[in-house]
Amino acid sequence: MITTENLSKTFYDRKKGEIRAVTPTTLEINKGEIFGLLGPNGAGKTTFLRMLATVITPTGGSAMINGYHLQDQSEEIKKSIGFISGDTKLYGRLTPKELLCYFGELYDMRQKQIESRCEAVFQMLDMSGFINQRIESLSTGQTQKTSIARCILHDPPIFIMDEPTLGLDVLTSRTILQFIQNAAQEGKTIILSTHYMQEAELLCKRIGFLHLGKIMAIDTLKGFQQKCNKNHLAEIFLNYVAQQEDDIHEV
């Protein structure tokens, strides 16, 4: 469903000069897979995901998403994905129901499709208690559920999720994690970026460690445990970070 070939992004800063946010990255993510992308702040996770979501243009390399070329079929890709970010801005004066109806029209959905899909999404994310309240009055968790609802309304085959549970309480996080599990069981392909190692251990079929703009390793949790002789994902990640920094110092 998603393949990249040497996909990279370089920014230019007047003071710092060239900043390699993402070094050439090649990977393949399969249909129905939850692929975890883990790394600290500034590692390049959000930049990488925004390239796949067509929000920013890559500096180099190529990608195929749901059979479409990233470089020249961006509109088709946008219809194939739901891009979910922890800091997505919504229209505060609209209600969740009004917001979804508006985006349903942008997705060229018919009125009956919008109504039936809204009903399904609201039930799926346990939103029925606040769908007619203004978004500006909602809690953080309710706002995040609304953001997710907006991104999945058109029922895309791919979800790109950047810190979807950041700052949420346990109950709201549980609802979102359950949604992710159910989506994968339905055959959706999901890229999940998270700081919470427990989420990756619970959900992800494979995990990629990203640090300093580079994917250090990709494997299953069991595979990492066997390679590193460690049980916890946080310990395994720190082990790879230490190896990468040693390699940099040697160079």
Side-chain angles (χ1 to χ4, degrees):
M1 290 295 284
I2 301 174
T3 59
T4 71
E5 183 71 30
N6 293 323
L7 195 68
S8 65
K9 183 63 179 181
T10 300
F11 294 101
Y12 296 91
D13 184 89
R14 290 184 179 181
K15 295 182 178 179
K16 298 180 181 179
E18 185 177 274
I19 301 173
R20 295 185 178 181
V22 177
T23 61
T25 300
T26 298
L27 60 80
E28 182 174 334
I29 301 173
N30 301 312
K31 177 180 173 61
E33 180 178 18
I34 304 176
F35 182 88
L37 192 62
L38 307 185
N41 290 333
K45 302 187 304 297
T46 295
T47 299
F48 182 73
L49 297 182
R50 287 179 176 174
M51 284 193 288
L52 295 182
T54 75
V55 176
I56 60 177
T57 304
T59 304
S62 61
M64 290 283 290
I65 300 173
N66 196 31
Y68 300 113
H69 291 276
L70 182 63
Q71 284 76 1
D72 54 16
Q73 293 179 296
S74 61
E75 290 304 314
E76 288 83 353
I77 289 174
K78 288 176 182 176
K79 294 177 182 179
S80 299
I81 65 172
F83 180 45
I84 301 165
S85 175
D87 61 354
T88 301
K89 304 302 180 185
L90 303 176
Y91 303 106
R93 296 184 65 82
L94 296 181
T95 67
K97 188 173 183 178
E98 290 170 339
L99 183 79
L100 263 64
C101 288
Y102 170 66
F103 273 91
E105 292 177 2
L106 293 181
Y107 286 127
D108 294 326
M109 297 171 65
R110 296 178 180 177
Q111 188 60 38
K112 289 186 177 180
Q113 286 179 301
I114 295 173
E115 292 174 0
S116 62
R117 184 61 182 162
C118 280
E119 183 177 348
V121 169
F122 291 147
Q123 182 176 358
M124 189 186 311
L125 296 175
D126 192 22
M127 295 176 60
S128 59
F130 58 88
I131 60 173
N132 292 312
Q133 297 179 35
R134 283 189 176 183
I135 292 171
E136 62 188 6
S137 71
L138 301 181
S139 68
T140 301
Q142 291 170 336
T143 301
Q144 182 65 343
K145 284 185 178 181
T146 303
S147 179
I148 292 175
R150 176 183 65 82
C151 295
I152 69 175
L153 177 66
H154 58 305
D155 197 23
I158 298 170
F159 297 138
I160 300 175
M161 313 187 81
D162 188 12
E163 302 287 351
T165 62
L166 183 64
L168 302 184
D169 62 72
V170 174
L171 293 177
T172 304
S173 295
R174 183 178 64 180
T175 300
I176 293 173
L177 296 180
Q178 185 63 57
F179 159 74
I180 294 172
Q181 287 181 316
N182 292 342
Q185 291 173 0
E186 293 172 0
K188 307 293 185 184
T189 302
I190 301 165
I191 305 180
L192 174 65
S193 169
T194 179
H195 281 118
Y196 303 127
M197 298 292 177
Q198 299 92 336
E199 290 183 0
E201 290 176 341
L202 174 66
L203 296 174
C204 298
K205 183 176 181 180
R206 289 187 302 147
I207 298 162
F209 291 144
L210 187 65
H211 185 49
L212 301 177
K214 178 182 179 181
I215 291 187
M216 300 180 290
I218 297 175
D219 208 335
T220 63
L221 175 60
K222 185 176 181 179
F224 278 128
Q225 290 171 332
Q226 293 174 343
K227 288 177 182 177
C228 300
N229 196 28
K230 298 181 184 296
N231 291 323
H232 300 294
L233 199 55
E235 294 178 320
I236 296 168
F237 174 74
L238 291 173
N239 183 70
Y240 276 94
V241 169
Q243 290 180 8
Q244 184 183 25
E245 292 179 348
D246 287 343
D247 291 340
I248 292 173
H249 292 321
E250 288 179 3
V251 174

